[in-house]
Amino acid sequence: MILATYAHNGFGRREAMNMASLLSLPFVERNKKSISTLCEDGKAKVCLVWTKRGPVLATPSGQEHYFHLSMAQLRLLRLMRGEKDHLLEAVGLDATSVLDATAGLGSDSIILSYGLQVPIVALEGFTPLAFITNYGFRHFVHEEEELTKALR
């Protein structure tokens, strides 16, 4: 895996270097190369790239993953309309804390945080995905203040 800045005029270089250091990944200067070329040159299956929207996991074929609410967005809208969520029903509304041991994109953690309003610890084994999800939880701002609060 390699890391590159996805910046024009140096945007994101410092953030990308910090990210590389934090995750013990090599930092690679982009030098106007495409992400595909960077991945291929570094013999990497994926690249962790700093962009204007934060960290992005990119493949040589051009697929990208960045933080977004995913299916949590639809589930949150249902909860806001007063509808039930199966996960919240299964956990029970009397939980005092939750451990999400397979965080992935964080969708279940978001729902639990919003619905239960208790501390949530979310773990993810794939470090780049954990970094992206953690970044999103700390920086993503939703138009609904309560949803932004649930992310934090």
Side-chain angles (χ1 to χ4, degrees):
M1 179 170 309
I2 62 173
L3 178 76
T5 57
Y6 192 95
H8 303 298
N9 301 325
F11 170 82
R13 186 177 191 280
R14 183 183 62 227
E15 292 87 349
M17 290 177 75
N18 289 340
M19 186 169 58
S21 176
L22 179 69
L23 300 176
S24 299
L25 296 173
F27 173 77
V28 177
E29 291 285 354
R30 184 156 182 202
N31 297 326
K32 299 184 181 181
K33 291 181 181 177
S34 70
I35 300 302
S36 296
T37 300
L38 285 172
C39 288
E40 290 169 9
D41 288 353
K43 295 178 177 48
K45 293 181 181 178
V46 293
C47 295
L48 191 56
V49 181
W50 193 270
T51 72
K52 289 184 179 183
R53 62 181 163 206
V56 172
L57 200 59
T59 66
S61 66
Q63 294 179 340
E64 294 184 344
H65 168 70
Y66 55 91
F67 181 81
H68 53 85
L69 293 180
S70 185
M71 286 303 293
Q73 175 73 28
L74 298 175
R75 292 168 67 191
L76 289 165
L77 290 173
R78 291 184 61 195
L79 285 170
M80 292 171 68
R81 289 193 303 252
E83 297 176 35
K84 295 180 181 180
D85 184 84
H86 295 295
L87 178 60
L88 287 172
E89 287 183 339
V91 170
L93 299 179
D94 58 346
T96 57
S97 64
V98 175
L99 173 63
D100 179 354
T102 56
L105 304 175
S107 296
D108 288 339
S109 291
I110 295 167
I111 297 301
L112 291 166
S113 178
Y114 180 82
L116 300 177
Q117 299 179 0
V118 300
I120 310 289
V121 173
L123 305 175
E124 172 52 45
F126 184 51
T127 304
L129 181 56
F131 185 83
I132 290 169
T133 301
N134 179 279
Y135 180 87
F137 279 9
R138 291 182 295 116
H139 294 94
F140 187 88
V141 177
H142 195 276
E143 61 189 34
E144 296 287 334
E145 187 176 328
E146 287 299 310
L147 298 186
T148 300
K149 183 179 173 185
L151 289 169
R152 303 303 182 263

